Amino acid sequence: MKKRLLSGLVCAVLLLSLAAPAFAVETQVTQQEAAQVLAALDIMTGDENGNLHLEKNVTRAEFVKLTVAASAYADSVGPTASVSPYPDVAKGAWYASYVQVAKEKGVVQGNTKGIFEPDRNITLVEGVTMALRLLGYQDSDFSGAWGSGQMAMYRTLKLDRNIPAAQADTMTRQDSLWLFYNLLTAANKSGQTYLTTLGYGLTASGEIDRVALINSAMDGPVVAETLWQSSVPFDVNSAAVYRSGSASTLAAIQSTDVVYWSKSMRTLWAYTGKATGAIQALAPSATAPTAVTLGGQTYALETATAAYDLSDLGSFRTGDMVTLLLGRSGGVAAVRKPGQSAGTVYGIVTSTGTGSYLDADGKSYTAGTVTVSATDGGAYTYQWENKDKKFEAGDMVQVTLSSSGAELKKLSKAAITGKVSDAGDKLGSYALADGIEILDTYSDLTTGRVYPSRLAGVTLKDDMVRYYTLNTQGEVNRLILNDVTGDLHQYGILTDVTEVSAGMILMASYVYDVDGVTVPYTTEKYIWNLKEGPCQIKYDGQALDRIYNLTELKLTAVEGNKGTAGNRDYTLSDSVAVYELRDKTYYLTELARVTGGSYTLTGWYDKAEADGGRVRVIVAKAN
């Protein structure tokens, strides 16, 4: 049983409050999400193929195992029982040790004849009684006929959510799944949220922190090289697979991927991040490094193996060309020679300059540099001293990496057109490769990584694609886009517009609000013919480039990430800005506060969804 401790990786991902309110916040949770939580906690796991068999009835023996697995004493269960806990529970039975622990802790009792009946299907009221005992309640806490008080408390604590069974009904595994999931967010007799008594925290809003739970259930990493599967303690052929954050397949995992796993969840997570360049520095020292600087960027060392390889005991030295294989948190999981795994990087030059480096003897020297925003989402700085090949910001480049260094080559435009499928797996007649790298760009200096799902349904025209590559299977594996998504820009409210055009005089003064922050902008070069209201603000690097008004859309309903206008649904931006308009003043608010019928909502979008647009701003007026 995995110890109830948060892994160190949790600290690198979503550090949220561990203070738990008396009752956790109610949210809509899918069955898949609930199952994922129970698997991460090693409470309910599937068979060798990951099947939960939720339709099957649950015996008393099976339910006791689930109950003990959901308790604070789960780790005290031994491989066998020391004694026979009940006359009808043999000491050598697979469930005997669980029944023994449950009996010792007062969670289960025998019937009036003193037997346990392990093979009898459990009823809902019996299961509820065991769950309430985990919360600190005893039979003496309830008056009246046995079961009536327990069922009343079951409903009061909202342990009944998504459970259709009645008091005397036989429980199914699906009923058990929801009972134990609901148990985690219920308050125990002392008022403490049950999950926190197991050593886990909730989010600041009182919800189960699934990220932290999955992190705590995650083991590894291992590099997916020869025989890597033998490091995973279950048959990987039946595992769920995610690669770079998207659902994938075992066959898609490459030899340089960094793989993590969870036995209880029967899941693999593969990460593809790499960085290649000369080792510039090791911190705090080469004798005990915890971080390495490469290409102007510093990476934490995630594994003891990586720390050893980069130390003075390992095979790499300052000045050596290496490829870092990056793990889930962006730290270094392994180090390889460039010829083994470097490959080729594609991207946009964002700056040039000089950088300081250390040679193999530890002496400092200065060299020219080129910084590239790559299609994999990383920003890399390479040494470049070839005076015959000069680069400037905005150049598209291919970087070929080898043990001797980096070779840069300018790229000319290579466009591809077609509609991206609704599933986000095809572009016209081309398949999109698993793990495709997509970079959106604006004015050469503003870039951001995009995932295929963001382009679903978008028709890419010639001027929307700057470059693409195909892999050996003829699949599109890289795309450099030209301001397709609009997600690189800011969105808010133009609160004041002053524009003067008189003879030779041009002057404009604008004030806009983004995320509740008011920003003024004045120019004497041009006017943009704007009006007050929702707007898009485009930046070229750090400088404001242009402001545009957005297009109005009367919304009749908003649900999830969709807004309805007329007979059509429109997709909301993941970061849609919501303002309440009161007395001609805009106040930043949240969508949850203005939905439900008390407000009239107006959406504002930047461009059609088929071109990559989204509803960027919602303005609410009280009815």
Side-chain angles (χ1 to χ4, degrees), residues 279 282 285-287 289 291-292 299 301 304-318 322 324 332 334-335:
I279 299 175
L282 296 168
S285 68
T287 56
V292 57
Y299 303 86
L301 305 185
T305 299
Y308 178 88
D309 287 344
L310 289 169
S311 74
D312 58 358
L313 301 175
S315 55
F316 299 105
R317 296 291 179 266
T318 302
V322 296
L324 308 179
V332 181
V335 187

Side-chain angles (χ1 to χ4, degrees), residues 62-362:
E62 292 168 337
F63 193 85
V64 165
K65 180 180 179 181
L66 295 174
T67 303
V68 173
S71 73
Y73 32 86
D75 293 331
S76 66
V77 178
T80 59
S82 58
V83 297
S84 177
Y86 290 98
D88 59 343
V89 177
K91 179 180 175 181
W94 67 264
Y95 49 82
S97 57
Y98 293 95
V99 175
Q100 181 182 13
V101 169
K103 181 182 180 183
E104 291 172 352
K105 300 297 183 180
V107 175
V108 297
Q109 297 175 357
N111 65 14
T112 56
K113 298 180 181 179
I115 60 176
F116 181 67
E117 300 180 283
D119 297 324
R120 177 172 63 79
N121 290 335
I122 195 168
T123 62
L124 178 64
V125 66
E126 291 174 324
V128 166
T129 299
M130 292 187 200
L132 290 174
R133 287 170 182 161
L134 290 182
L135 293 175
Y137 293 95
Q138 301 300 320
D139 290 354
S140 58
D141 292 316
F142 306 103
S143 59
W146 178 81
S148 60
Q150 285 87 342
M151 293 303 292
M153 182 62 73
Y154 160 73
R155 290 184 287 271
T156 297
L157 296 177
K158 297 185 179 180
L159 297 175
D160 60 340
R161 285 176 296 185
N162 299 310
I163 301 176
Q167 177 172 329
D169 288 349
T170 294
M171 291 187 72
T172 64
R173 285 179 60 82
Q174 180 168 285
D175 296 331
S176 301
L177 181 149
W178 283 114
L179 179 60
F180 285 107
Y181 182 84
N182 295 337
L183 172 74
L184 298 175
T185 55
N188 67 10
K189 189 176 178 179
S190 301
Q192 184 178 0
T193 304
Y194 184 71
L195 182 63
T196 66
T197 69
L198 301 180
Y200 294 97
L202 304 174
T203 67
S205 58
E207 300 176 357
I208 291 177
D209 189 345
R210 287 198 297 138
V211 171
L213 289 181
I214 293 172
N215 282 337
S216 68
M218 190 180 288
D219 290 311
V222 63
V223 179
E225 295 168 323
T226 305
L227 301 179
W228 71 272
Q229 297 179 12
S230 63
S231 301
V232 181
F234 58 89
D235 183 4
V236 296
N237 292 294
S238 61
V241 178
Y242 294 86
R243 189 166 185 260
S244 297
S246 300
S248 188
T249 63
L250 185 63
I253 294 179
Q254 304 297 309
S255 61
T256 55
D257 287 357
V258 175
V259 180
Y260 302 80
W261 65 85
S262 168
K263 182 179 180 180
S264 63
M265 298 176 68
R266 302 193 70 82
T267 301
L268 302 175
W269 295 270
Y271 294 87
T272 62
K274 300 181 185 68
T276 297
I279 299 175
Q280 293 176 257
L282 296 168
S285 68
T287 56
T290 59
V292 57
T293 300
L294 197 76
Q297 191 166 340
T298 300
Y299 303 86
L301 305 185
E302 183 179 317
T303 65
T305 299
Y308 178 88
D309 287 344
L310 289 169
S311 74
D312 58 358
L313 301 175
S315 55
F316 299 105
R317 296 291 179 266
T318 302
D320 287 352
M321 287 293 297
V322 296
T323 289
L324 308 179
L325 304 184
L326 307 180
R328 180 174 185 265
S329 62
V332 181
V335 187
R336 297 292 184 266
K337 294 180 180 179
Q340 293 174 269
S341 54
T344 305
V345 172
Y346 291 79
I348 303 289
V349 174
T350 54
S351 66
T352 60
T354 58
S356 296
Y357 295 85
L358 294 176
D359 62 20
D361 298 322

Side-chain angles (χ1 to χ4, degrees), residues 1-81:
M1 178 69 65
K2 187 176 292 294
K3 297 292 183 183
R4 307 297 196 191
L5 296 173
L6 297 181
S7 71
L9 188 57
V10 176
C11 298
V13 188
L14 292 181
L15 270 177
L16 298 172
S17 171
L18 297 182
F23 289 89
V25 172
E26 259 190 79
T27 56
Q28 294 297 320
V29 176
T30 67
Q31 182 172 284
Q32 181 181 6
E33 291 169 342
Q36 189 181 55
V37 167
L38 296 190
L41 290 168
D42 213 5
I43 295 173
M44 178 181 281
T45 58
D47 60 18
E48 65 277 5
N49 296 314
N51 193 328
L52 289 173
H53 300 289
L54 297 179
E55 76 287 351
K56 289 187 175 181
N57 293 332
V58 181
T59 66
R60 284 172 54 81
E62 292 168 337
F63 193 85
V64 165
K65 180 180 179 181
L66 295 174
T67 303
V68 173
S71 73
Y73 32 86
D75 293 331
S76 66
V77 178
T80 59

Side-chain angles (χ1 to χ4, degrees), residues 373-438:
S373 181
T375 54
D376 65 4
Y380 306 114
T381 300
Y382 303 102
Q383 285 185 230
W384 188 253
E385 293 290 351
N386 190 334
K387 296 180 180 179
D388 295 328
K389 290 185 179 180
K390 294 184 178 180
F391 297 92
E392 58 185 26
D395 287 342
M396 288 192 299
V397 293
Q398 171 187 308
V399 185
T400 303
L401 304 158
S402 67
S403 58
S404 60
E407 179 67 31
L408 280 71
K409 181 179 76 173
K410 287 185 182 180
L411 299 173
S412 300
K413 180 177 179 178
I416 187 172
T417 61
K419 181 179 179 180
V420 179
S421 65
D422 291 340
D425 58 358
K426 288 186 177 181
L427 169 52
S429 60
Y430 290 91
L432 297 184
D434 188 75
I436 182 175
E437 299 175 357
I438 306 173

Side-chain angles (χ1 to χ4, degrees), residues 566-611:
N567 297 320
R568 288 186 56 190
D569 287 339
Y570 296 82
T571 304
L572 309 184
S573 167
D574 290 340
S575 55
V576 62
V578 183
Y579 291 84
E580 182 182 352
L581 179 58
R582 283 186 278 122
D583 300 325
K584 298 182 179 181
T585 302
Y586 291 90
Y587 299 91
L588 188 68
T589 184
E590 298 175 357
L591 193 57
R593 295 178 179 272
V594 296
T595 53
S598 299
Y599 292 85
T600 298
L601 304 181
T602 305
W604 299 80
Y605 64 91
D606 54 338
K607 55 185 175 181
E609 282 193 40
D611 295 328

Side-chain angles (χ1 to χ4, degrees), residues 468-489:
Y468 76 99
T469 63
L470 302 178
N471 61 19
T472 55
Q473 290 77 41
E475 302 167 324
V476 180
N477 63 345
R478 294 183 187 87
L479 281 171
I480 299 178
L481 305 177
N482 180 25
D483 196 20
V484 171
T485 65
D487 297 343
L488 301 175
H489 311 306

